[in-house]
């Protein structure tokens, strides 16, 4: 209803503009145009068709003798037949015409002798403001239109220039239905925030004891882990007013607006105390002062100063708890993080296996799941995933079920959704030359063989040369358990496995391609982390040479590098030596096991995809089971003579036909996991958990980008 009223207001304003413009242009006047030219008037006089004229200055109106359309009584004030503009010699001209017609001289003809009546009207002085009237009307309408727009933007009940009002959205405590029951995967974080809830419910118990409740809580963590949801749950549990605003809403182009909005926000929160003020993405306004070019006192710093004063200044701030969320704690101002402002910092990290299962249960409440759906299995496939990632997988599963015209979401849809989210959509229509297929097969075979031979590598569960996303193929390795850290030997094995694709191309094809660019990049980053951050270099020892702070404008101008050029050169040499050793080891292992490399590549060319059981059978020299009918279908190929292209593959639009029947990848992936879990259960070992990687840790999947 409100939207329709707003649209009606716009329609009325536009219609008013049009009507006024038409009026000012005379479009709403009489349909008959009485205007004639001066020669036409003289012709009418010659023909004796003029009955009367009225003259005012140089303007003349008149009546025709035979075709009068107005009553004589209305002339000349209300009606006339014609109008024109005359010169000062009009009367003399009319006298001359009459004299010539009657055979008289000009001196013998007076005005009374003319064949029509002449009326002289008194001159009318036009006020000066009449000429300005159109401009005045348009100015008033424009100002009214601006007032209407600004009133709507500010809620319809505030002043036109009220920029300093807070834009915080206030949620009604009686309507906020989000509680801690809706937040899963962060039990410790909820315990930290329970004190806030107790204070908001019963503040007198704390004040009587002389305790000071923390004034602020800063939620820190990667994007999508549920920081904003936790803040809403605190407000829902406490049934307290919840003022939410983004950090960017404080900053405007007008100086002082941000500080004014901060003052107004806290004034409103104090009126509704006990209440919660939640500032999302506080790094937009809370960045470290003095880091900009020139260290100027800009509008953002004024806003930050006002925020610091409101949180802990001379003014007493009772009953207002400030909560904020950010994923960039490193760039926040130190004054904002001290006790008395943000007393507590709650880290909301990626959930563990149990937490991921609980999150999946929360997001599956309103979805029609098959009874055979195993959410724990889905959670194992998504380690180091945020709550947003898990919600996205459940939504993708529902979309796939609808696309396949199913009435219920099965385990297959969820498994396919995990693969789709992590690795991108399948490119079933992508044409691949035989030359490219052979190159990709040896590349992925190199990754897989090294993953099998190196004792510190994770188990290889899937090898495929089917394009998916931007990768022409990939090798999927899964850890047996979720590790929070990695040993040196494990990292060296990972680097060696990453370089295995490049080494396999050189060993088998005696040539290299651009497909290993992603592998080389990630291997270099991992090696540099070992040297500069984790103290795994024998040459440099246990010295931290990295930086946790991401660079933003002005940061590097005030802070130089914390090590000398000598150490910079030593770091580069150590990283290169580490990569060279790993690459040399990869070449040696593949050369010693050339038969296994060729066998895996031939199996990939034959079947496109190998699950864990099939891959291990090839490595042991055992025969493979016969191909199924679905496995015998090859992707579209071009003639071998076609030119090979190694440009990064761009994502293509999916069609419904791609999901009509489960493809080879999905079937083999499920079979491998089922067989793997059954074998582990027979030996009393817990099932492995698929790792997607974590900060400063290498990725668990090796891709071959075309």
């Amino acid at each position: 209803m409100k939207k329709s009223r707003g649209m009606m207001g716009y329609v009325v304003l536009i219609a008013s503009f049009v009507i006024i413009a038409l009026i000012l242009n005379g479009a709403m006047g009489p349909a008959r145009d009485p205007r004639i030219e001066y020669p036409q008037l003289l012709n009418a006089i010659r023909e004796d068709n003029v009955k009367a004229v009225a003259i005012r200055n140089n303007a003349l109106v008149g009546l025709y003798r035979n075709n009068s359309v107005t009553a004589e009584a209305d002339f000349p004030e209300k009606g006339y037949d014609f109008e024109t503009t005359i010169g000062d010699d009009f009367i003399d001209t009319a006298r001359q015409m009459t004299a010539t017609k009657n055979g008289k001289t000009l001196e013998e003809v007076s005005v009374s002798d003319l064949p029509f009546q002449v009326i002289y009207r008194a001159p009318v002085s036009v006020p000066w403001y009449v000429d300005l009237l159109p401009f005045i009307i348009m100015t008033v309408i424009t100002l009214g239109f601006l007032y209407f727009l600004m009133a709507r933007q500010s809620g319809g009940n505030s002043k036109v220039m009220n920029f300093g009002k807070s834009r915080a959205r206030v949620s009604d405590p009686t309507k906020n239905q989000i509680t801690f029951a809706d937040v899963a995967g962060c039990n410790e974080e909820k315990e930290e925030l329970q004190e806030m809830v107790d204070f908001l419910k019963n503040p007198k118990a704390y004040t009587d004891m002389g305790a000071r409740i923390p004034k602020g809580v800063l939620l820190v963590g990667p994007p999508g882990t549920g920081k904003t949801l936790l803040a809403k749950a605190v407000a829902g549990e406490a049934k307290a007013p919840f003022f939410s605003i983004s950090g960017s809403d404080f900053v405007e182009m007008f100086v002082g607006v941000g500080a004014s909005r901060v003052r107004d926000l806290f004034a409103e929160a104090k009126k509704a105390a006990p209440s919660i003020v939640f500032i999302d993405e506080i790094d937009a306004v809370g960045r470290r002062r003095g880091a900009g070019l020139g260290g100027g006192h800009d509008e953002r710093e004024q806003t930050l100063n006002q925020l610091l004063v409101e949180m802990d200044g001379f003014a007493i701030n009772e009953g207002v708890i400030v909560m904020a969320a950010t994923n960039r704690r490193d760039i926040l101002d130190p004054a904002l993080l001290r006790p008395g402002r943000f007393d507590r910092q709650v880290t909301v990290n990626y959930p563990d296996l149990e937490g991921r299962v609980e999150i999946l249960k929360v997001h599956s409440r309103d979805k029609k799941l098959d009874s055979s759906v195993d959410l724990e299995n889905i959670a194992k496939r998504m380690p180091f995933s945020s709550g947003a990632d898990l919600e996205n997988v459940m939504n993708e599963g529902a979309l796939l079920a609808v696309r396949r015209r199913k009435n219920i979401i099965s385990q297959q849809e969820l498994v396919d959704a995990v693969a789709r989210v992590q690795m991108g959509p399948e490119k079933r229509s992508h044409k691949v030359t035989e030359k490219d297929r052979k190159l990709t097969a040896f590349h992925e075979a190199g990754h897989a063989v090294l993953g099998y031979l190196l004792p510190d590598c994770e188990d290889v569960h899937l090898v495929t040369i089917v394009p998916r996303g931007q990768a022409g193929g990939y090798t999927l390795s899964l850890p047996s358990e979720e590790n929070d850290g990695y040993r040196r030997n494990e990292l060296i094995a990972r680097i060696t496995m990453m370089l295995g694709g490049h080494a396999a191309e050189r060993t088998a094809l005696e040539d290299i391609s651009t497909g290993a660019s992603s592998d080389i990049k990630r291997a270099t980053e991992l090696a540099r982390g070992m040297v500069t951050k984790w103290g795994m270099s024998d040459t440099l020892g246990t010295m931290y040479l990295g930086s946790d702070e991401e660079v933003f404008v002005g940061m590097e101008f005030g802070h130089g590098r914390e090590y000398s050029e000598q150490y910079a050169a030593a770091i580069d040499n150590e990283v290169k030596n580490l990569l060279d050793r790993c690459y040399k080891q990869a070449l040696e292992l593949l050369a010693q096991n050339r038969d296994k490399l060729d066998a895996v590549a031939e199996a990939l060319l034959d079947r496109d995809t190998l699950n864990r059981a099939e891959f291990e059978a090839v490595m042991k020299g055992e025969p493979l089971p016969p191909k199924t009918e679905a496995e015998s279908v090859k992707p579209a190929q071009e003639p071998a003579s076609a030119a090979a292209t190694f440009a990064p593959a761009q994502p293509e639009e999916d069609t419904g036909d791609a999901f009509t029947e489960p493809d080879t990848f999905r079937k083999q992936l499920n079979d491998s996991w089922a067989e793997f879990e059954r074998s582990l259960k027979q030996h009393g070992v817990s099932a492995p958990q698929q790792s997607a990687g974590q900060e400063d840790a290498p990725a668990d999947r090796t891709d071959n980008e075309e």
Side-chain angles (χ1 to χ4, degrees):
M1 182 62 69
K2 292 183 178 179
K3 186 176 180 180
S4 62
R5 289 200 300 265
M7 291 297 296
M8 184 59 67
Y10 283 113
V11 172
V12 172
L13 284 174
I14 295 173
S16 301
F17 271 112
V18 174
I19 293 174
I20 294 174
L22 293 175
I23 293 176
L24 294 177
N25 290 315
M28 302 297 291
R32 181 183 62 88
D33 187 10
R35 186 78 181 174
I36 65 174
E37 299 297 330
Y38 184 64
Q40 293 177 287
L41 171 62
L42 297 181
N43 290 333
I45 294 174
R46 290 189 185 98
E47 297 173 358
D48 197 19
N49 193 25
V50 178
K51 184 178 181 178
V53 298
I55 301 174
R56 173 179 289 158
N57 297 334
N58 290 333
L60 181 144
V61 296
L63 295 174
Y64 289 121
R65 188 177 299 278
N66 300 324
N67 299 319
S68 178
V69 297
T70 59
E72 288 189 38
D74 297 333
F75 177 81
E77 301 299 332
K78 296 183 179 180
Y80 47 87
D81 292 330
F82 60 87
E83 65 176 337
T84 188
T85 302
I86 61 175
D88 295 337
D89 60 343
F90 169 72
I91 297 297
D92 292 337
T93 302
R95 290 170 55 205
Q96 184 63 52
M97 293 172 61
T98 303
T100 302
K101 184 177 181 181
N102 297 329
K104 299 180 179 180
T105 62
L106 180 62
E107 289 77 10
E108 295 176 342
V109 180
S110 63
V111 177
S112 60
D113 296 329
L114 296 176
F116 52 86
Q117 182 184 4
V118 179
I119 303 173
Y120 289 97
R121 305 171 66 187
V124 178
S125 60
V126 180
W128 62 270
Y129 56 81
V130 173
D131 295 334
L132 299 177
L133 187 61
F135 175 77
I136 295 174
I137 294 175
M138 296 303 296
T139 302
V140 171
I141 294 175
T142 303
L143 293 177
F145 184 71
L146 293 177
Y147 177 86
F148 175 78
L149 292 180
M150 300 189 68
R152 282 180 55 82
Q153 185 178 5
S154 57
N157 57 356
S158 53
K159 299 179 180 179
V160 176
M161 302 298 292
N162 204 359
F163 296 107
K165 293 289 291 184
S166 171
R167 295 184 178 180
R169 294 172 293 276
V170 185
S171 62
D172 190 352
T174 60
K175 297 181 180 180
N176 188 4
Q177 303 298 325
I178 299 177
T179 62
F180 282 152
D182 301 309
V183 183
C186 48
N187 296 328
E188 291 78 8
E189 291 82 353
K190 289 191 289 186
E191 292 178 0
E192 286 289 329
L193 299 175
Q194 187 62 45
E195 287 185 3
M196 307 296 171
V197 176
D198 295 338
F199 169 76
L200 293 172
K201 287 184 177 180
N202 187 21
K204 190 174 183 301
Y206 289 84
T207 55
D208 292 344
M209 190 62 65
R212 180 183 63 83
I213 199 68
K215 295 183 179 180
V217 179
L218 182 63
L219 303 176
V220 184
T225 51
K227 301 182 293 294
T228 304
L229 186 63
L230 274 172
K232 292 181 179 179
V234 171
E237 289 283 344
K239 302 297 181 183
F242 186 74
F243 298 81
S244 61
I245 191 171
S246 174
S248 60
D249 289 336
F250 291 113
V251 183
E252 289 281 355
M253 63 181 234
F254 301 106
V255 178
V257 172
S260 177
R261 288 177 178 175
V262 171
R263 288 191 296 269
D264 183 73
L265 172 63
F266 278 87
E268 295 295 328
K270 291 175 183 178
K271 293 178 182 178
S275 59
I276 297 176
V277 173
F278 177 68
I279 305 175
D280 200 9
E281 304 296 341
I282 195 174
D283 51 272
V285 69
R287 290 193 173 208
R288 183 174 304 166
R289 290 169 292 182
L293 297 177
H297 188 73
D298 56 6
E299 167 65 6
R300 181 183 56 78
E301 291 190 2
Q302 294 187 30
T303 306
L304 175 59
N305 292 335
Q306 186 62 43
L307 180 62
L308 296 176
V309 172
E310 291 290 344
M311 292 187 66
D312 188 24
F314 284 102
I316 299 177
N317 186 17
E318 296 290 343
V320 179
I321 294 179
V322 182
M323 301 185 68
T326 182
N327 52 15
R328 297 291 308 276
R329 182 192 176 279
D330 56 310
I331 65 174
L332 293 181
D333 194 277
L336 199 61
L337 303 177
R338 72 162 177 82
R341 292 193 173 114
F342 284 113
D343 303 85
R344 291 187 178 179
Q345 298 181 26
V346 179
T347 301
V348 186
N349 216 329
Y350 295 113
D352 55 8
L353 176 60
E354 182 180 354
R356 294 196 299 272
V357 174
E358 294 299 323
I359 293 175
L360 290 174
K361 290 180 179 179
V362 170
H363 293 299
S364 61
R365 292 175 180 174
D366 58 343
K367 293 178 173 59
K368 300 179 180 179
L369 299 181
D370 188 71
S371 58
S372 62
V373 170
D374 186 3
L375 295 180
E376 184 175 357
N377 179 268
I378 301 300
K380 290 179 180 178
R381 298 170 182 265
M382 300 184 66
F384 305 108
S385 297
S386 65
D389 297 329
L390 298 170
E391 189 276 336
N392 188 32
V393 166
M394 296 300 298
N395 185 64
E396 285 290 340
L399 294 177
L400 288 178
V402 175
R403 184 177 298 179
R404 298 171 182 176
R405 301 297 186 266
K406 294 185 176 181
N407 298 324
I408 197 169
I409 305 173
S410 65
Q411 183 77 5
Q412 186 66 48
E413 276 72 48
L414 295 181
V415 172
D416 296 343
V418 173
R420 185 180 179 87
V421 170
Q422 292 182 341
M423 294 170 283
E426 287 184 336
K427 305 180 69 175
R428 296 176 65 89
S429 61
H430 183 62
K431 295 181 179 181
V432 184
T433 65
E434 192 63 30
K435 185 178 181 180
D436 286 347
R437 292 186 72 248
K438 183 178 181 180
L439 174 64
T440 305
F442 275 103
H443 185 103
E444 300 303 329
H447 292 311
V449 171
L450 291 180
Y452 182 86
L453 297 175
L454 294 172
D456 293 312
C457 273
E458 298 168 347
D459 297 331
V460 177
H461 283 258
L462 190 73
V463 189
T464 182
I465 59 174
V466 177
R468 179 181 280 271
Q470 294 185 348
Y474 52 87
T475 301
L476 182 64
S477 59
L478 303 175
S480 58
E481 58 184 8
E482 292 185 8
N483 299 321
D484 294 331
Y486 296 88
R487 296 181 292 111
R488 179 182 178 182
N489 292 337
E490 293 176 345
L491 297 178
I492 292 177
R494 283 174 173 262
I495 296 176
T496 305
M497 182 180 178
M498 291 177 184
L499 300 177
H502 191 279
E505 294 178 12
R506 173 167 292 181
T507 300
L509 305 176
E510 297 182 353
D511 197 4
I512 53 179
S513 69
T514 60
S517 60
S518 177
D519 300 328
I520 297 175
K521 177 183 178 182
R522 289 187 288 117
T524 304
E525 292 174 351
L526 186 56
R528 186 169 293 275
M530 293 175 62
V531 173
T532 61
K533 296 181 179 181
W534 305 321
M536 297 181 179
S537 171
D538 295 332
T539 303
L540 298 177
T542 56
M543 179 182 290
Y544 184 83
L545 300 171
S547 176
D548 291 331
E549 298 180 348
E550 298 187 28
V551 177
F552 63 96
V553 177
M555 178 72 77
E556 290 296 307
F557 289 93
H559 300 82
R561 192 170 54 189
E562 297 180 353
Y563 49 88
S564 63
E565 293 292 338
Q566 180 182 358
Y567 271 99
I571 292 173
D572 293 339
N573 292 331
E574 189 68 13
V575 171
K576 185 179 184 302
N577 293 334
L578 180 59
L579 293 174
D580 290 343
R581 291 197 300 269
C582 292
Y583 189 67
K584 181 180 179 181
Q585 184 184 12
L587 290 173
E588 293 176 352
L589 287 176
L590 292 178
Q592 297 171 3
N593 298 272
R594 178 62 187 275
D595 56 336
K596 294 182 174 61
L597 177 65
D598 295 338
V600 174
E602 292 176 1
L604 287 173
L605 291 173
D606 183 46
R607 303 199 174 198
D608 291 336
T609 303
L610 298 176
N611 58 30
R612 182 181 182 182
E614 295 171 338
F615 169 70
E616 291 183 349
V618 174
M619 294 297 294
K620 295 177 182 178
E622 301 175 353
L624 292 174
K627 293 189 295 183
T628 63
E629 183 179 355
E631 293 173 339
S632 62
V633 180
K634 299 261 186 172
Q637 298 182 13
E638 293 181 350
S641 59
T645 305
F646 297 97
Q650 299 298 323
E652 297 181 4
E653 183 179 0
D654 271 342
T655 61
D657 297 338
F659 300 94
T660 309
E661 296 290 336
D663 58 7
T664 303
F665 165 74
R666 290 191 287 264
K667 182 178 181 304
Q668 294 184 350
L669 182 61
N670 292 333
D671 293 342
S672 67
W673 269 99
E675 180 181 351
F676 179 63
E677 291 175 352
R678 285 194 301 269
S679 63
L680 290 182
K681 288 181 180 179
Q682 292 176 358
H683 296 83
V685 182
S686 59
Q689 301 161 8
Q690 186 178 348
S691 179
Q694 67 185 102
E695 186 179 3
D696 292 334
D700 301 333
R701 188 182 76 241
T702 305
D703 296 339
N704 175 31
E705 295 188 357
E706 293 187 320

